[in-house]
Amino acid sequence: MSTTAPDPLATLGALPGVAEAVDSVRKAVDRVYGHRVMRRRSNEVTAEAALRGARGSAALSGADWNLEEVRRRTDFSGDGESQVIGAALRLTAEAGQLLSIWRQSPLRVLARLHLVAAGGAAPDEAVGRPRLAGEPVDEPLIEAPLPGADEVAGRLEGLSGLILAGSAAPALVTAAVVHGELLALRPFGSYNGLVARTAERIVLIGSGLDPKSICPAEVGHAEQGRAAYVAAFEGYLSGTPDGMAAWIAHCGRAVELGVRESTAVCEALQRGAA
């Protein structure tokens, strides 16, 4: 007698409170997609969402710049904060180009994201591949114990397998797990937070929840604050049902706040103020 393999992501989708978070996110996304500005000026909303998402992701990685400074600056080759901003902008621009590859080889996409983020700032041999045993990791926000290189390799393969197998789970659940797992593993020597949040963006776009990439979850993660982000991530690390549900809900709230940001952009465009 054959049995169907369990769908671990769908199991997470059934946790208490997760269905409510998923429903709230879907309603928020539907509202902004229904805005009249989206009929003719969606490309402008997408571009602004990308800029604001990059700024938010960089803020979580320690480069909390004013939006207008990010918009104005053209050279990001200076100090560490400038390089973080530049990496976040490059990643946001790259995300939409990698959807077809993500569906076939998530690990290739992650390698590409790290390569794009590093932009020549890291030693060549360390760029675009998971770290080896003994190699250091520079991740300013996440201080959780660092898994060993062998564990990282195994769990990356497991994550890739989950993505390739597909799931009945809502997009929010998959995006939150991809984000959380990459933060937990910190597979690269640098820019892991930026890469994890970009991977979350790719899942949300590729799933069809946010196909025009106008709901920047990075904005919402930053708005909730670094302390709340770390606290929610500790729930993911715990692996408990309550902890996992809290992390998924936190990611859902981040998407909703991103929706609010883009709704404000739509309103400004409608008034002719942006």
Side-chain angles (χ1 to χ4, degrees):
M1 181 177 68
S2 64
T3 58
T4 302
D7 182 345
L9 295 176
T11 300
L12 293 175
L15 291 174
V18 170
E20 291 82 355
V22 167
D23 185 57
S24 183
V25 166
R26 168 51 71 187
K27 288 177 179 177
V29 171
D30 286 347
R31 282 195 299 272
V32 71
Y33 269 85
H35 197 286
R36 60 186 302 177
V37 165
M38 289 296 296
R39 298 173 196 165
R40 296 183 179 179
R41 305 182 71 178
S42 64
N43 288 344
E44 293 172 70
V45 181
T46 296
E48 189 64 21
L51 182 71
R52 297 180 184 217
R55 193 218 71 83
S57 190
L60 287 171
S61 287
D64 192 359
W65 287 19
N66 180 277
L67 179 64
E68 294 311 313
E69 175 66 11
V70 177
R71 194 191 306 280
R72 180 191 66 81
R73 186 75 71 92
T74 58
D75 181 8
F76 299 98
S77 61
D79 60 17
E81 287 194 7
S82 295
Q83 292 174 12
V84 169
I85 296 286
L89 288 168
R90 291 191 299 273
L91 285 170
T92 303
E94 187 81 3
Q97 311 301 314
L98 297 172
L99 295 177
S100 61
I101 304 174
W102 177 261
R103 298 184 183 105
Q104 299 171 3
S105 180
L107 298 185
R108 279 181 59 200
V109 169
L110 294 176
R112 172 64 184 170
L113 291 177
H114 187 244
L115 184 68
V116 168
D124 289 346
E125 67 273 9
V127 174
R129 62 152 173 79
R131 55 187 168 82
L132 303 177
E135 289 185 338
V137 173
D138 178 16
E139 184 54 50
L141 183 58
I142 305 303
E143 298 180 351
L146 198 64
D150 288 345
E151 181 180 350
V152 168
R155 287 172 63 176
L156 281 176
E157 287 291 344
L159 181 63
S160 177
L162 280 178
I163 295 165
L164 294 174
S167 172
L172 173 64
V173 173
T174 303
V177 168
V178 168
H179 183 171
E181 189 69 356
L182 291 174
L183 277 186
L185 296 179
R186 282 148 287 162
F188 304 109
S190 58
Y191 299 115
N192 288 289
L194 295 180
V195 168
R197 291 183 288 275
T198 305
E200 178 185 50
R201 171 184 282 266
I202 289 172
V203 174
L204 294 173
I205 298 170
S207 67
L209 177 65
D210 181 22
K212 294 184 182 293
S213 193
I214 62 166
C215 306
E218 305 96 326
V219 168
H221 286 303
E223 187 170 333
Q224 292 179 89
R226 299 178 91 199
Y229 184 74
V230 171
F233 173 61
E234 288 174 354
Y236 179 87
L237 284 179
S238 74
T240 64
D242 286 348
M244 296 295 289
W247 170 247
I248 294 167
H250 182 88
C251 291
R253 180 58 179 158
V255 175
E256 291 185 67
L257 290 170
V259 167
R260 187 175 72 178
E261 188 87 354
S262 286
T263 300
V265 170
C266 288
E267 295 294 332
L269 287 169
Q270 185 168 286
R271 295 192 304 269

